[in-house]
Every structure is written in structure tokens, then in C-alpha cells.
Amino acid sequence: MAMLWKFMRVAKYSKTALSPKVKVRGIPTHSRHSSSKSAPSDFAASAPCSNTVELLGKSYPQDDYSNVTEKILSKVGKNLHNRKHHPLWLIKEQVKEHFYKHYLGRRGTPLFSVYDGLSPVVTVQQNFDSLLIPQNHASRRKEDNYYLNRDHMLRAHTSAHQWDLIHSGLDAFLAVGDVYRRDTIDNTHYPVFHQMEGVRLFSCHELFSSIKDGEGLQLFEQGHRTAHKQECHTMEAVRLVEFNLKQVLTKLMTHIFGDGLQVRWVDCYFPFTHPSFEMEINFQGEWMEVLGCGVMEQQLVNSAGAQDKIGWAFGLGLERLAMILYDIPDIRLFWSEDERFLKQFIGPHIWQKIKFQPLSRYPPLINDISFWLPSEAYSQNDFYDLVRTIGGDLIEKVVLLDEFAHPKTKKVSHCYRIVYRHPERTLTQDEVHRIHQAIEESAVRELGVEGRF
């Protein structure tokens, strides 16, 4: 799908990221059932709309926090995880089937419900405040997120739905959707990717019923917070929740990848979450993080109305799992519309063994860009966003090659290497030169840098 953007369109990129004249129309996905289908998307830049963005049937006024680009907005509503036979859909369905089959309620029905049609537009309160992320935490920065305005954003994680789903009375659920983050550019990072959130809450009886002499055990105490538990959890409760979480995830990964899978756990203390871990899987000789998980912060559980329960949560990346399972080398391929890619994943059942066959090995074209940074604040993610907006999926990688501070003027220079490669055809030096020139001109005009080209 990586189509070459015309130079005239490229030149319209602006520092506000989204022009006040842009109106984006789409069809929302409101279904909260596990069988929800992908809603079609219909996006267009059209008539002037006074400083607002219309997205998924709603209007959002722009302000000084608005930084979402047209390129990113064009991805909203694609719902690759709901497109039948897409590799992300296959991974989602495999995880669903595993949870439906192995975790049943008292009446024999699936314990976990699945929500794969929740809106990717959330409030800042949902994305950060409800998860107890401090106001000054680095994860809130404009440099790392896509904001529609100060109050609304494109969700940065499916955890944004935790509080609402728990508050609605759910004790066990999976939430799946596209998430948006400003990030580096390489073959494993993309500004839009897909996550699956899992949450499980336990009552005292559910957690201790299988433990010998468990009647006397308690979920909570008036203790002290340590690196291993929160102040209100008993150590027995924390250890059992941690054991259950790791057991659930190990079984899931073994079910997907087979018994030969190498897994390791890495301590990773998220804000207000103790204990917490990352799961890494050995992929082509390297360890790749595929999910983060931990015992849920009790204050979050309490505020959502489940004061008498304790629980765990995990978030896994569907692209990471699909790249390992199907041997897909480049994350951009998930957005391909090339039938040679998509047809490889059509099979009689979701568990069919598939190994991606490269369409062709097209050569990369490499160009460097150097410039003096402006005196005011400069963010590398602003530059990455500019490059993605102009070059689209023709950009395979951007690497900071060199950082130099002039000894007299104290001005700082950055040199970046941009690797261009079309996933479906050979690029010409002429078309890459036009894109690279547009990046140079836009960097000077929009980021205030001084070119050294």
C-alpha cells in the first residue's frame, strides 16, 4: 500500500500537523462483541472546517496541543485486527480461541469477554488519569503522543479502556485495538500498531479456594509498600496473582508458538504498579519484548468500583507476535494492500502454519540530511513525524548518525541517515530525490532548523 505521495501534496505539510481546513470523516466501530467486524473507513480532506477535526462522527476543536497529522488520521478506522485473514486478525482470533477454550465460568460459558471495536479516540483522563499516571510523567509528552486537543487524543495503549470496562462490572476481559505513538522509524516500529489488553480480577474466594487451609487468607492488609507489593495487598495474594498471571501468559505463548519457545521475564516497574514484568521471546537469536504485565494498582481497581477484588493486567503487541509467528521482517507490510502479501494468510483455519514468503528483495536507497538545530526546543519525534508524513511507507529507517556541538557558537548539528525502500517495487533515485528535497525544505520551514545541505 506504500504509494508514492505527489510532491505538491508533500509540500502542504505544516507545523500544526493538521490544517484547520482539514475535515476527516469516518465510520465508528461501536460493537462491543467478540464477533465485531471491521467498520469501513471513508476519509477525505474537504471543505474548510473552522479549526476543528471531524473524526469518527464527532468534531474536536484544535488548540495548542493538537499535533495529529493527516497521514496518521488516514489510518484511523482501518481496523486491521478485524479484517478477515489479515495476519493481525489471525493472531487475535488465536488468542481469543485459546481464552474461550481454557477459561470457563461456572456455567460453562467463556470467562473472558472480548471487545475489539472500541473507539481509538479517548480522553486524556481515560488514557492517563484513570491509570494513575502522574501529571508530570514523561509518557504524557506531546513528543510521544498524538493529541487532537488538550482533552482528547488517539489512545496510546488499550489500557485506556481498563477503568471503564471494570466500572461496567466486568471481571475478565480482552480489549483489542489500534494504538498510536510517535516513535523512532525502523522495521519494528510504526506510529500505528495493535494491542490486546487482558484483565482478570479475583475475589477472595476465587483466589484462595484451591489453596489448602486458604479460608484464613486475606486479600488486603494495612501494611507498607515495597518493591514487591503495594501497601494494601497481602504477600500471599500478590504471589498468587503473580503466579496465575505468568501461568496464563506462558500457556498462551506455548499454545501459539509451540513447546520449543524460549521465554524470559524481566522486571519492569510501571508507574504505580508493583510487581510488574515484561515477557521477552527469543526471535532469530535476539530477545524481543512482546508484552508487559503486572499486578493491578489497587487504587485503580477501587476507583472503578471493585474494592473487594485484586487483579492482574497485561498488554501484548499483535504485530510483534505476528512478526515472530509468520516470519514477517518489516512492520510496514501489515499495511500492504498487495494481494501477493494478503493471499499468503488465507487458509482453511486460523491455526494453519504459514511462513511469509518475501515478495521480492528490492534494494534500498540511502540519503543523509544534516542541519543546525533551532535555539528553541527541538524534538527528534517532530522530525520523524515530518519524515513519515512526507515519505509515508517508503521510509524504512531513520537513524541519527552524528551529533556535533560547535566549539565557538555552541550550536548543535544533527545528521540523520534516511533509508528509502518500497516494500513492493524498486524505487528510482529520481523519485527519492524529490521526496528527500521536500523533507529538507519542510524541515527548514516547519522545524526552524538551518540546513547544511
Side-chain angles (χ1 to χ4, degrees):
M1 67 150 285
M3 299 176 63
L4 178 63
W5 283 32
K6 299 296 184 183
F7 179 82
M8 291 300 291
R9 173 168 180 148
V10 164
K12 293 184 179 179
Y13 179 85
S14 68
K15 192 171 185 178
T16 56
L18 185 64
S19 164
K21 296 183 178 181
V22 171
K23 182 179 181 182
V24 180
R25 294 194 297 269
I27 300 177
T29 55
H30 294 303
S31 173
R32 295 167 67 95
H33 301 288
S34 62
S35 60
S36 64
K37 298 182 178 179
S38 175
S41 58
D42 175 25
F43 299 94
S46 59
C49 183
S50 175
N51 293 317
T52 62
V53 179
E54 187 174 322
L55 181 62
L56 302 179
K58 295 184 179 181
S59 296
Y60 302 92
Q62 296 186 76
D63 57 26
D64 61 322
Y65 247 63
S66 305
N67 67 348
V68 65
T69 66
E70 290 183 60
K71 183 68 174 177
I72 297 301
L73 287 173
S74 71
K75 307 289 187 181
V76 179
K78 298 295 186 181
N79 298 321
L80 300 183
H81 61 288
N82 288 335
R83 185 183 296 184
K84 193 170 183 179
H85 299 302
H86 191 279
L88 298 181
W89 176 85
L90 290 173
I91 288 288
K92 182 195 73 170
E93 292 299 312
Q94 289 177 24
V95 176
K96 279 173 50 179
E97 183 178 284
H98 174 78
F99 275 90
Y100 282 174
K101 181 178 179 180
H102 293 279
Y103 303 97
L104 302 177
R106 283 178 289 183
R107 298 182 180 180
T109 56
L111 180 66
F112 284 80
S113 52
V114 179
Y115 302 89
D116 56 10
L118 301 172
S119 174
V121 179
V122 297
T123 64
V124 172
Q125 194 279 335
Q126 288 174 299
N127 200 81
F128 296 121
D129 298 336
S130 71
L131 300 173
L132 310 179
I133 297 175
Q135 288 288 334
N136 61 349
H137 196 268
S139 64
R140 292 177 178 255
R141 297 183 309 173
K142 284 177 61 176
E143 288 82 357
D144 298 323
N145 299 283
Y146 288 104
Y147 285 91
L148 294 172
N149 52 42
R150 281 186 170 269
D151 299 318
H152 295 87
M153 61 187 299
L154 297 177
R155 62 187 168 207
H157 43 212
T158 45
S159 303
H161 304 292
Q162 275 187 15
W163 192 95
D164 292 320
L165 293 174
I166 294 173
H167 188 66
S168 71
L170 296 174
D171 287 343
F173 58 84
L174 303 174
V176 194
D178 45 339
V179 299
Y180 301 77
R181 295 183 194 171
R182 304 177 75 193
D183 211 338
T184 55
I185 302 176
D186 58 37
N187 67 328
T188 62
H189 291 86
Y190 199 78
V192 189
F193 56 102
H194 298 74
Q195 278 189 341
M196 175 177 284
E197 192 83 8
V199 170
R200 174 80 166 97
L201 301 181
F202 301 88
S203 65
C204 186
H205 172 74
E206 289 171 322
L207 191 61
F208 297 127
S209 60
S210 61
I211 304 299
K212 185 179 180 180
D213 301 324
E215 297 82 1
L217 299 177
Q218 301 294 322
L219 295 180
F220 308 111
E221 67 176 9
Q222 296 301 316
H224 299 283
R225 189 183 189 95
T226 71
H228 303 289
K229 74 176 191 68
Q230 299 167 37
E231 65 270 19
C232 58
H233 293 159
T234 63
M235 186 60 75
E236 294 83 5
V238 170
R239 291 305 184 203
L240 282 173
V241 172
E242 177 187 335
F243 175 77
N244 180 269
L245 171 60
K246 289 185 175 180
Q247 188 179 49
V248 166
L249 293 173
T250 300
K251 285 182 178 179
L252 171 63
M253 294 300 148
T254 301
H255 194 66
I256 292 176
F257 296 105
D259 293 328
L261 180 72
Q262 289 182 284
V263 171
R264 73 180 182 190
W265 299 94
V266 180
D267 289 346
C268 181
Y269 295 102
F270 301 113
F272 292 94
T273 304
H274 293 267
S276 56
F277 314 91
E278 290 177 351
M279 173 186 271
E280 296 183 346
I281 290 177
N282 195 296
F283 176 51
Q284 296 181 350
E286 295 184 3
W287 289 95
M288 177 183 287
E289 177 202 345
V290 294
L291 61 84
C293 58
V295 178
M296 294 191 72
E297 171 63 34
Q298 196 58 39
Q299 186 179 340
L300 186 162
V301 177
N302 291 347
S303 69
Q307 294 90 341
D308 57 344
K309 296 180 179 179
I310 184 176
W312 51 247
F314 70 78
L316 58 85
L318 297 186
E319 278 88 349
R320 291 287 174 87
L321 296 181
M323 291 177 78
I324 297 171
L325 183 61
Y326 303 124
D327 201 17
I328 299 174
D330 193 322
I331 196 170
R332 294 175 299 164
L333 285 166
F334 291 104
W335 295 91
S336 175
E337 296 291 347
D338 193 320
E339 288 298 315
R340 294 174 298 167
F341 173 77
L342 297 173
K343 284 183 177 180
Q344 293 188 40
F345 302 94
I346 298 176
H349 55 80
I350 60 175
W351 296 102
Q352 179 177 348
K353 290 191 178 298
I354 300 170
K355 183 175 182 179
F356 170 68
Q357 300 299 317
L359 309 182
S360 182
R361 296 193 178 276
Y362 301 107
L365 292 176
I366 298 173
N367 286 265
D368 295 344
I369 179 172
S370 299
F371 46 75
W372 297 106
L373 304 189
S375 56
E376 62 267 20
Y378 167 82
S379 166
Q380 284 184 227
N381 279 346
D382 284 340
F383 177 67
Y384 295 149
D385 238 16
L386 182 147
V387 173
R388 276 204 186 278
T389 298
I390 295 175
D393 287 348
L394 301 184
I395 308 298
E396 180 177 82
K397 183 186 296 186
V398 178
V399 180
L400 178 60
L401 283 184
D402 181 61
E403 183 172 354
F404 166 73
H406 196 283
K408 293 184 178 180
T409 65
K410 306 302 181 184
K411 294 174 66 175
V412 176
S413 170
H414 277 189
C415 177
Y416 295 90
R417 172 155 294 171
I418 303 178
V419 180
Y420 299 84
R421 191 201 307 256
H422 199 300
E424 298 160 6
R425 66 176 176 84
T426 299
L427 289 173
T428 67
Q429 185 63 59
D430 184 58
E431 59 187 336
V432 166
H433 173 73
R434 292 199 302 272
I435 297 170
H436 197 76
Q437 185 178 14
I439 291 172
E440 292 175 339
E441 294 173 355
S442 292
V444 171
R445 184 174 62 251
E446 312 301 345
L447 302 181
V449 304
E450 181 184 342
R452 301 181 67 188
F453 30 81

